[in-house]
Amino acid sequence: MQPRRHARVTRDLYSFAFSLVLFCGMVLLLTLRGGGAIGDQAGSSGTTSLAPFYLVNLLLMVFLGLNRGAAIVRSAHPRKALPRNALMLLLAQLLLLPYMTFLIHGTDGGVGRILLLSFYVLLTSTTWLLLGTLLALRRTSSSQSLLLNAAAVAAHLIPALGFHFAPPGLRLLSLVSPIAAISELSSGAAIHESLVAFLFVALVAAVSAFHVVRRLRRSEDV
Amino acid sequence: MTTQRRGQGRRAFAWVGGLCLLASVMLALVPCVGHGAPTVSAVLGFNQHLHEGSFAPMRADVRGLPSPIRGRLILVQTLGSGWRGESTVTHELASGPIENGTYAATVPFYDATNPVVLRLITPDSQVIAETRLDPRIGRHTHRFAVSVGAEAPPVVDAVPAEPVSLSTDWWSYEGLSSLWVESPLPRAAWNAIGRWVYAGGRLVVFGGDNYLRMDTPVLREILPLETPRLISNGTGPAHLAGHLRSDSTVLREQNGTPLVIHRTLGAGTVTLVTVSSRDMDENAYGPLLGLLQSATPIALSRLAGDSLSATSVTGPRHATVGLLVVALLACVSLGYALHRRQPRLAMVIVSLGIGFLAVLSGFYSFRTNQNRPLYTCSYTFSLEDSFGSVRFGHAWYSLQSMHVALENRQAISEPKLHVQPGADLDSYVTETSLHETRLALASLQMRTADRYGIPASTITLSVGEGWVEVDSTESETYDDAWLLQDGRVYSLPSIAPGVHRHVLGTGQPVDRAVESMGAASAELAPLYGLLEETGIVFEGTWLLIASHRVVSQPSEEVAHSRSVILRAIPGGDHAA
């Protein structure tokens, strides 16, 4: 009988966790609104805002998703590795729990908004785990792969921001970009805005999951 | 031929008669058609003239309603523009059953560059009738003069107004530099004008033939003459004569009789021109015109804002958050170090560490911050006299985007927002109903507002030789209290609910008292400076200053609330 291995959390993941805690902590410190006289604070923009914290969190988690997606393809049993790596994303996000409990009282977000934002980050990173798997399955060279990943992430983050300047009806489409979505969700988005942000990511995740499972099954059969 | 002409005449007569009948029927139907289309109209300010940033009266007319309806009559003002940011300020003029008639109100006007919209709406916000008004026509950026039935000299450039347009709210005259009256007014309007004068207004009253119709006990109380009587001897114009009050001075005489008499009343002045304005030579106004500069209005919102600016906000320390980051990094590093030999233990240690730090940071954040989002400060200045007035200055500062509600009470105006120059106007959304005003507060933005009203005494002050008895029916205790009279300050221990007698002692001059008071002087000095500047507190006036602070529990919404009251009591033994 093969001994049970507990090394599912790899040393790479610890390195990443270190970066995640460090960078998110730095953003928290930089945007922290401390005590002091109201006259010195009034009108200042130095608020403990949720948006910068969760934007950095999202970017790091997207990179982790891409990284884990490539790891799935490299593993001996990719289909089994898929849920395990998704769980790692959850564990990585849970590392930020001390920051989140701080933010609940430190900002005007409250528990609901913190949970919503954390869930959005987790959903987006899971989507990129699946997209990362699909991109890794193309078996391109490492330099090409790097460029492809960067282009794909940029395509998700930036172009949709242009809809912000569109007529009111089309402006909702800017929430396809996680940057706009995080910004809106952190300042208290309306229900229909939250729905647009979540539904787009969920839709991409569902389509990617379908393709990933089909292609992994095919490659394992081969 | 004649028969033919007669026939034509009959036909023409029949046509004319028929047309007349048709016209009569249509005219009779007009009111019925009118009932089908309700209309609203309004007169803003004094004959459409208003001062931007001040309260002004308004009258709204509702017509064409077949029967009373349940609904609301609202006035919507727009502040700012697309590039400065834009907000709406809504005032409810009437609510409940609305019927045809006139609805009077006093509202603050903020931005006369934008149209004002008057709407009659149903409870489910369906618009029944609407009219857009352009306040730019009579917009004044400086206070302006108004004349009611008087011919003011051209140099004053007074706006003529009807007696019916004069409000019974004294704060509706806030935007006027002077008021010229030679017309009978209702007693309530005279009362409001008297309060406005006491608070800093400039009133010019004309005698002459019209005085007999104008004469009321309230007017007699504010005129510079005691027992005024009209004298008409046939040789010259009818003029008013009587005993000069001790605080009055004659500015100009004509043929040995006073023509222009001036009196200081509170922070304002009353000038009596003893003849009719129509009998007045333009040059005779000379000595009067220099005295018509309007008084500096007391803006307590400025004091409240300054006081709130000096208040400290609690918040987390950067060093503590830095420690949290370091502790988390240490936890992850420990996991990394243990991972090669004992991966399970590493996972357990990291999980326990994360959980422990999460609980700790939650407690810390809860204690230091937060859940204390709102900071408020209010100042109240109450002048106790027959023409007394009360002013409130409010300041709010919030750590979060939120709404605050302020109760609207009878005989007290709704809050008038102080629009900060260069402020982001998007956050100035305000809704005023008959019962409360809801203000939107943006995160980390201070908002200030002023309110005016008629005083309702809750603290009674009896001053004797070397002692003072304070009877307070208020629920809270004022921790710091001082009495001021004729430049001397007497410190009181505190003002608690109930009746308490205190020994006054010798007191100290204001300058020395401010030096010896330490922290408390920070409060007293600007207050005294402001009151001196306005001249509302005059010789012999007792001034009570009391301060009250509340720091609520973290679970409560308001974190820090403080109120300062000032009561000016002319003479000695008076209610404050």
Side-chain angles (χ1 to χ4, degrees):
Chain A
M1 190 176 162
Q2 196 177 359
R4 194 176 167 190
R5 287 178 63 83
H6 296 284
R8 284 170 184 174
V9 177
T10 61
R11 285 173 75 87
D12 287 353
L13 202 66
Y14 274 106
S15 306
F16 177 81
F18 195 88
S19 309
L20 187 70
V21 167
L22 181 67
F23 284 115
C24 287
M26 277 169 64
V27 172
L28 186 65
L29 266 172
L30 286 173
T31 59
L32 183 71
R33 181 200 51 74
I38 285 173
D40 300 334
Q41 293 195 347
S44 68
S45 55
T47 62
T48 312
S49 168
L50 292 171
F53 176 83
Y54 273 100
L55 271 174
V56 171
N57 182 11
L58 180 110
L59 280 176
L60 292 170
M61 289 296 283
V62 163
F63 290 133
L64 179 65
L66 280 169
N67 177 276
R68 291 292 92 199
I72 289 170
V73 176
R74 285 199 303 271
S75 68
H77 302 288
R79 280 170 66 192
K80 284 182 185 168
L82 186 62
R84 206 168 58 211
N85 280 284
L87 188 69
M88 282 181 193
L89 292 179
L90 176 67
L91 290 176
Q93 188 63 20
L94 284 177
L95 275 176
L96 302 181
L97 203 59
Y99 295 154
M100 289 184 221
T101 52
F102 178 84
L103 286 169
I104 286 169
H105 297 296
T107 63
D108 56 352
V111 183
R113 209 175 290 173
I114 302 283
L115 284 178
L116 200 72
L117 279 160
S118 302
F119 182 62
Y120 180 80
V121 168
L122 200 60
L123 189 65
T124 310
S125 58
T126 310
T127 306
W128 277 100
L129 171 83
L130 296 163
L131 288 172
T133 311
L134 282 176
L135 289 171
L137 281 169
R138 293 171 67 91
R139 299 192 192 285
T140 51
S141 68
S142 63
S143 59
Q144 275 181 331
S145 168
L146 187 71
L147 278 174
L148 199 64
N149 287 354
V153 172
H156 185 197
L157 293 180
I158 299 162
L161 288 175
F163 284 107
H164 185 70
F165 305 102
L170 292 172
R171 210 171 288 171
L172 269 181
L173 290 176
S174 67
L175 295 171
V176 163
S177 162
I179 295 174
I182 291 275
S183 172
E184 286 299 316
L185 290 172
S186 61
S187 57
I191 291 175
H192 66 282
E193 290 173 333
S194 308
L195 270 177
V196 169
F198 275 94
L199 276 178
F200 175 76
V201 183
L203 190 73
V204 175
V207 172
S208 310
F210 173 74
H211 284 289
V212 166
V213 171
R214 203 175 62 171
R215 290 189 63 178
L216 286 182
R217 189 183 295 158
R218 200 183 297 162
S219 63
E220 278 183 14
D221 290 345
V222 171
Chain B
M1 187 77 175
T2 316
T3 318
Q4 196 180 351
R5 274 189 189 163
R6 268 185 198 159
Q8 280 177 346
R10 273 195 211 110
R11 269 201 299 277
F13 185 76
W15 269 106
V16 170
L19 283 172
C20 285
L21 189 69
L22 188 68
S24 307
V25 170
M26 285 178 74
L27 279 172
L29 282 172
V30 164
C32 304
V33 173
H35 276 313
T39 57
V40 287
S41 61
V43 179
L44 304 179
F46 298 88
N47 201 9
Q48 302 288 14
H49 288 257
L50 50 90
H51 173 241
E52 203 170 59
S54 290
F55 277 100
M58 70 161 294
R59 280 175 301 132
D61 276 311
V62 179
R63 295 279 175 267
L65 286 175
S67 59
I69 57 155
R70 278 190 62 78
R72 296 164 66 213
L73 193 61
I74 59 166
L75 187 78
V76 183
Q77 294 186 57
T78 307
L79 263 73
S81 56
W83 60 273
R84 279 176 68 199
E86 213 170 69
S87 275
T88 53
V89 178
T90 310
H91 307 272
E92 189 177 73
L93 308 180
S95 175
I98 306 277
E99 54 189 35
N100 293 326
T102 302
Y103 295 85
T106 301
V107 293
F109 288 93
Y110 298 107
D111 191 348
T113 53
N114 291 316
V116 174
V117 183
L118 179 69
R119 284 193 189 116
L120 177 61
I121 57 171
T122 58
D124 55 351
S125 299
Q126 191 189 341
V127 179
I128 299 171
E130 180 180 283
T131 185
R132 289 169 78 83
L133 305 153
D134 187 357
R136 281 178 299 184
I137 302 162
R139 176 192 181 217
H140 292 259
T141 49
H142 292 94
R143 289 183 162 75
F144 60 98
V146 164
S147 75
V148 185
E151 282 180 15
V155 67
V156 174
D157 196 19
V159 171
E162 294 298 314
V164 71
S165 67
L166 296 188
S167 167
T168 54
D169 298 326
W170 71 263
W171 51 91
S172 70
Y173 303 90
E174 191 197 7
L176 304 192
S177 58
S178 58
L179 179 64
W180 301 64
V181 183
E182 191 179 358
S183 173
L185 299 179
R187 184 192 171 93
W190 274 123
N191 221 324
I193 292 168
R195 290 182 195 277
W196 167 67
V197 170
Y198 240 85
R202 304 285 188 251
L203 174 68
V204 182
V205 184
F206 289 90
D209 294 331
N210 275 332
Y211 181 76
L212 292 176
R213 294 194 299 129
M214 291 161 63
D215 193 14
T216 65
V218 184
L219 178 59
R220 281 184 178 227
E221 209 175 322
I222 59 176
L223 277 183
L225 290 177
E226 279 179 293
T227 59
R229 61 189 190 282
L230 194 67
I231 296 175
S232 180
N233 50 20
T235 56
H239 68 275
L240 212 58
H243 295 291
L244 211 64
R245 287 186 197 270
S246 58
D247 53 3
S248 302
T249 48
V250 177
L251 294 181
R252 197 177 192 101
E253 289 189 337
Q254 195 174 46
N255 303 328
T257 53
L259 182 66
V260 182
I261 311 169
H262 191 71
R263 182 189 182 194
T264 304
L265 198 64
T269 61
V270 180
T271 305
L272 172 68
V273 178
T274 56
V275 296
S276 166
S277 60
R278 275 156 281 277
D279 299 325
M280 192 67 181
D281 179 13
E282 217 177 280
N283 298 322
Y285 286 109
L288 166 64
L289 297 176
L291 300 169
L292 290 180
Q293 297 293 320
S294 56
T296 312
I298 304 175
L300 287 182
S301 59
R302 198 183 73 196
L303 277 186
D306 289 349
S307 178
L308 197 61
S309 291
T311 306
S312 284
V313 175
T314 55
R317 289 182 185 170
H318 283 78
T320 316
V321 179
L323 272 178
L324 174 70
V325 177
V326 170
L328 258 174
L329 288 174
C331 186
V332 175
S333 303
L334 189 65
Y336 180 79
L338 284 174
H339 176 74
R340 186 169 288 173
R341 291 179 190 168
Q342 291 179 302
R344 182 180 280 185
L345 183 66
M347 275 292 286
V348 170
I349 284 175
V350 170
S351 303
L352 284 176
I354 297 290
F356 175 71
L357 288 173
V359 173
L360 209 64
S361 74
F363 271 123
Y364 173 73
S365 173
F366 185 77
R367 273 188 65 82
T368 54
N369 224 352
Q370 308 216 352
N371 231 12
R372 288 179 171 181
L374 182 63
Y375 288 72
T376 70
C377 181
S378 67
Y379 271 73
T380 310
F381 178 82
S382 171
L383 181 67
E384 307 289 335
D385 204 279
S386 50
F387 292 114
S389 57
V390 60
R391 288 161 186 266
F392 305 90
H394 299 280
W396 300 271
Y397 180 76
S398 170
L399 303 178
Q400 305 173 358
S401 301
M402 63 190 301
H403 282 88
V404 286
L406 213 62
E407 188 192 353
N408 287 338
R409 284 175 283 159
Q410 205 178 8
I412 293 177
S413 77
E414 63 183 79
K416 184 185 76 174
L417 307 173
H418 177 67
V419 182
Q420 310 274 1
D424 174 19
L425 292 176
D426 284 330
S427 62
Y428 275 70
V429 177
T430 309
E431 282 180 34
T432 299
S433 72
L434 296 177
H435 307 293
E436 66 169 27
T437 297
R438 276 174 67 80
L439 298 148
L441 296 181
S443 174
L444 303 189
Q445 297 286 326
M446 190 190 289
R447 296 280 299 273
T448 54
D450 285 291
R451 306 180 90 174
Y452 308 120
I454 296 168
S457 297
T458 49
I459 297 176
T460 311
L461 196 70
S462 305
V463 186
E465 279 296 320
W467 56 265
V468 62
E469 196 172 82
V470 184
D471 181 1
S472 172
T473 55
E474 294 198 5
S475 55
E476 61 260 26
T477 297
Y478 288 86
D479 312 314
D480 306 308
W482 306 278
L483 268 172
L484 272 83
Q485 193 195 37
D486 298 341
R488 291 192 82 78
V489 178
Y490 305 88
S491 183
L492 300 180
S494 67
I495 297 180
V499 183
H500 300 276
R501 183 178 279 212
H502 307 286
V503 176
L504 280 180
T506 53
Q508 293 184 74
V510 171
D511 301 343
R512 208 182 301 160
V514 165
E515 283 168 21
S516 63
M517 276 180 188
S521 71
E523 191 138 280
L524 193 61
L527 275 174
Y528 193 77
L530 182 79
L531 296 170
E532 261 191 338
E533 191 184 304
T534 56
I536 201 164
V537 178
F538 38 93
E539 205 177 325
T541 304
W542 281 98
L543 181 71
L544 170 69
I545 301 175
S547 174
H548 167 66
R549 292 176 180 79
V550 174
V551 178
S552 66
Q553 295 302 311
S555 57
E556 293 173 28
E557 192 181 59
V558 176
H560 190 290
S561 167
R562 69 191 291 270
S563 56
V564 178
I565 59 160
L566 299 97
R567 301 281 157 101
I569 314 110
D573 192 6
H574 284 271

